[in-house]
Amino acid sequence: MSPRRRDAEGTAAARAERRAELLATAAEVFASQGYAATTVRKVADAAGILGGSLYYHFDSKESMADEILSTFLDEMWAAYDRVLAAGLGARETLEALVVESFRSIDRHRPAVVVYQNESKHLATSERFHYLLESRRRFEEMWLALLDRGIEEGAFRPDLDRSLVYRFIRDTVWVAATWYQTGGRLSAEEIAKQYLAMVLEGIQAS
Amino acid sequence: MSPRRRDAEGTAAARAERRAELLATAAEVFASQGYAATTVRKVADAAGILGGSLYYHFDSKESMADEILSTFLDEMWAAYDRVLAAGLGARETLEALVVESFRSIDRHRPAVVVYQNESKHLATSERFHYLLESRRRFEEMWLALLDRGIEEGAFRPDLDRSLVYRFIRDTVWVAATWYQTGGRLSAEEIAKQYLAMVLEGIQAS
Amino acid sequence: MSPRRRDAEGTAAARAERRAELLATAAEVFASQGYAATTVRKVADAAGILGGSLYYHFDSKESMADEILSTFLDEMWAAYDRVLAAGLGARETLEALVVESFRSIDRHRPAVVVYQNESKHLATSERFHYLLESRRRFEEMWLALLDRGIEEGAFRPDLDRSLVYRFIRDTVWVAATWYQTGGRLSAEEIAKQYLAMVLEGIQAS
Amino acid sequence: MSPRRRDAEGTAAARAERRAELLATAAEVFASQGYAATTVRKVADAAGILGGSLYYHFDSKESMADEILSTFLDEMWAAYDRVLAAGLGARETLEALVVESFRSIDRHRPAVVVYQNESKHLATSERFHYLLESRRRFEEMWLALLDRGIEEGAFRPDLDRSLVYRFIRDTVWVAATWYQTGGRLSAEEIAKQYLAMVLEGIQAS
DNA sequence: CATGAATGAGATTTCATTCAT
DNA sequence: TATGAATGAAATCTCATTCAT
């Protein structure tokens, strides 16, 4: 390996690392202040550089959001696909999906918050159509799972399936707004209690 | 009633009505596009007037958000206070609160959406400190209710009370993001099914 | 005189009176806040009516300024012309002019302040060219008087005449900015002391 | 001195210089058109940049006025304080103060004009309270000097001290409105003649 | 890699003015 | 005469983006 080549790799890796750092910062700020209300300058301030300097790394503010969201969704779907491929029963699948969701929140909290708050507006632009795609796949997956669970006798048949779908979807993801990495409860512990509530309800039996 | 008095009342009422109309429009647009991403011009367009004309009725974009949110919160708390004053058992109180929440969503959907999406950011400004106050009272009320329910043997004692609180809070209010007035399910019907899920869970028994 | 005619005169007189009232109010506000910084609404507020209502009486904000200034200037020049026509010596003429100037301030303080502060900017517009005209006549009159005074041996010949002119001009008129009608010193008293200072100086002799 | 340090100083100095340039331009425009009547765009045009670009250097139009005025006042008071510290007699102190005032006008003419025309209105805002403070110190200083002069037998005792104070104050500062740097008369020459008029009067002796 | 100055489009807000009632 | 709602132009200010250094 020539020194030249080592250098090139070194800078490429360094550059990728810097991007990741900056994206993490941007996601944090987008999550806490809202994408539209966040100025590029605020992101740069949080990163300790000047506004214009961000444009060495990224084409635009939008492309930062894009990279934040697509990275998160790719990882999330990879996890979901592993669960779906495992051939579990409906109830076990539901449990595994919820656990994976909380793991996603644990690893990508700011990205999840941005997704929750902004995907609806962003999706109106061509570039973010994959958000709609993801949402559609998500709904499809859950409705199928709920139907299967009712067939298998695992889930109650007397509830409106759309309502149950939205109930679970919102219930899980909205947790990103208050979840703190390294907080009192671990992602797994939260998942366990959420599953208890969702499956068994909160009333004393 | 003298003509003079009728006149004065007439114009005062007319003005209040116009304000209410414009606020309803503004809430709709804030809810669908996000407060920060909504320009004053968009609100004005939706109301069929010019941007500057809004300033005859309101001091600023912020004061519109203020009036939208405080009107909604006042009404919501009035309803909650009626429930709390009724002296019901913990479980019945919970049911009544959830029903009232969905009624609030039914009557003030756009305001609720704005509250959900923007209150966190807005609350950083002095003017919107009442949002924090409301949030605190809300949490207090629910934690007390949950504790009472556990004492009364109505609710399971094995769940983390903070988690249950957030679960119910988010689960109910996030429904505003998809609820449609006059949709397939009425507010009462949705409340009933939500209560079934929250109290009894979704698994077959 | 028919009742019809009496009515017409009555309303015409009433209208003129109302105009005068409103102009006095406007002059006060223009003087205290500055013409450009004064909104039509501020004038209307001070008059106890709504902004739009002023347009029943006046064509525009500019026409209010116009009427305020031209009324004042007309009166001032009438007084000056009386003095100039009296055929006094240079020193007596100077004294009489200064006294008349302070009387003008006494009667038209707000108008004088507006004149001091705004005439320079207003004069750029065609409509206010008479301000330049007045200023030119004013300078001419004073320079001639100073020259005559030096010839007559009344005034010192060792001073720059332009400088003396500006000294007197500014010195007198700027008093409008602090003069209060009905204050501790009457216009005549102030004129007397000003003349003492201007003519004899402030040093002990 | 390391290159790093030279750089840092270079840019800091360059920035300060640019600010000063822009402020000089702004002061010129404020002085000639009036603060309220001057648009930010006019200032920018005069500086050869776009309106928005000014906001890279200054927070607001108001902050430009602030910096213009406070810079001028600081320098003026420094000069006055040097005079006051010199322990001169009342008459010599008066002469020195008048000379310094004309020097201030010579160096900061636009700022002085802005001060004359706008300080009254600006001072109503909290931010410009130092203008009132300066005005109060100014009056205090002059009244004390006049009293001392009368005691020392240098000034006439038969004049109203408030009136004399205002006479001198206005007389000197209003000169900024017509003074031209590099005009026919130097600041020192004007000061000399003004002092002659103020001290000895304009009448032949 | 980053800076600092600027651009230019567009946002919020202001305000003189109009006009139906 | 006055009101109240609106207009529309222009003002202040913001901000994503560019670019020479």
Side-chain angles (χ1 to χ4, degrees), chain A:
Chain A
M1 203 188 267
S2 78
R4 190 145 215 131
R5 183 132 178 254
R6 193 160 350 93
D7 261 31
E9 273 181 23
T11 40
R15 169 178 292 196
E17 202 178 340
R18 188 74 176 111
R19 275 179 82 84
E21 257 176 55
L22 292 171
L23 281 176
T25 303
E28 211 86 61
V29 186
F30 288 160
S32 74
Q33 323 223 0
Y35 173 74
T38 298
T39 67
V40 169
R41 233 199 116 204
K42 278 182 193 162
V43 173
D45 281 355
I49 59 179
L50 290 182
S53 307
L54 277 175
Y55 288 81
Y56 178 79
H57 301 278
F58 305 98
D59 287 347
S60 63
K61 184 185 173 188
E62 213 183 46
S63 75
M64 292 184 228
D66 191 355
E67 199 159 335
I68 288 165
L69 292 173
S70 55
T71 301
F72 149 64
L73 283 178
D74 288 351
E75 272 206 39
M76 184 195 77
W77 277 109
Y80 280 179
D81 286 342
R82 277 193 301 277
V83 169
L84 295 175
L88 305 172
R91 189 196 155 122
E92 288 73 28
T93 300
L94 180 146
E95 289 180 359
L97 288 176
V98 168
V99 168
E100 282 306 336
S101 299
F102 278 102
R103 284 203 187 119
S104 275
I105 291 173
D106 187 47
R107 276 199 298 268
H108 298 286
R109 190 192 47 78
V112 175
V113 173
V114 173
Y115 181 74
Q116 287 292 109
N117 295 337
E118 320 289 351
S119 67
K120 201 169 163 191
H121 314 314
L122 290 173
T124 59
S125 120
E126 179 62 45
R127 171 175 210 170
F128 288 96
H129 263 27
Y130 65 88
L131 295 172
L132 296 178
E133 188 54 36
S134 173
R135 168 170 290 252
R136 198 150 39 76
R137 260 193 81 196
F138 195 90
E139 178 168 6
E140 225 171 69
M141 174 185 85
W142 275 99
L143 289 179
L145 176 61
L146 292 175
D147 288 344
R148 181 156 68 95
I150 291 169
E151 272 172 41
E152 291 178 7
F155 305 147
R156 294 168 60 166
D158 62 325
L159 299 170
D160 187 277
R161 64 201 277 275
S162 286
L163 217 52
V164 176
Y165 157 61
R166 285 191 283 234
F167 176 74
I168 295 177
R169 176 194 66 187
D170 298 340
T171 276
V172 169
W173 290 112
V174 91
T177 55
W178 53 259
Y179 181 77
Q180 307 188 48
T181 312
R184 189 166 51 87
L185 299 172
S186 69
E188 273 76 14
E189 181 61 26
I190 293 171
K192 206 177 106 192
Q193 296 228 9
Y194 256 65
L195 282 168
M197 285 187 274
V198 167
L199 291 168
E200 303 154 28
I202 68 165
Q203 79 183 336
S205 50

Side-chain angles (χ1 to χ4, degrees), chain C residues 121, chain D residues 22-47 54 61 64 68 109-111 113-114 117-118:
Chain C
H121 315 313
Chain D
L22 293 171
L23 283 176
T25 304
E28 210 87 59
V29 187
F30 289 160
S32 75
Q33 324 225 355
Y35 174 73
T38 298
T39 69
V40 170
R41 235 199 114 204
K42 279 181 193 163
V43 174
D45 281 355
L54 276 176
K61 183 184 171 187
M64 290 185 230
I68 288 165
R109 190 193 46 78
V113 173
V114 174
N117 294 338
E118 319 290 351

Side-chain angles (χ1 to χ4, degrees), chain B residues 34 82 84 88 100 122 126 146 149 152 179:
Chain B
R82 277 194 302 276
L84 295 175
L88 305 171
E100 283 303 339
L122 291 174
E126 179 61 46
L146 292 175
E152 292 178 7
Y179 181 76

Side-chain angles (χ1 to χ4, degrees), chain C residues 91 160 171 198 202-203, chain D residues 91 160 171 184 198 202-203:
Chain C
R91 188 194 154 123
D160 185 278
T171 276
V198 167
I202 69 165
Q203 80 183 335
Chain D
R91 191 199 152 118
D160 186 277
T171 274
R184 188 166 51 87
V198 167
I202 68 166
Q203 80 183 336

Side-chain angles (χ1 to χ4, degrees), chain C residues 71-114:
Chain C
T71 301
F72 149 64
L73 284 178
D74 287 351
E75 271 207 39
M76 184 195 78
W77 277 110
Y80 280 179
D81 288 340
R82 277 193 301 278
V83 169
L84 295 175
L88 306 170
R91 188 194 154 123
E92 288 73 27
T93 300
L94 180 145
E95 289 180 358
L97 287 177
V98 167
V99 168
E100 283 305 337
S101 298
F102 278 102
R103 284 201 187 122
S104 274
I105 290 173
D106 186 47
R107 275 198 298 268
H108 298 285
R109 190 192 47 79
V112 175
V113 173
V114 173

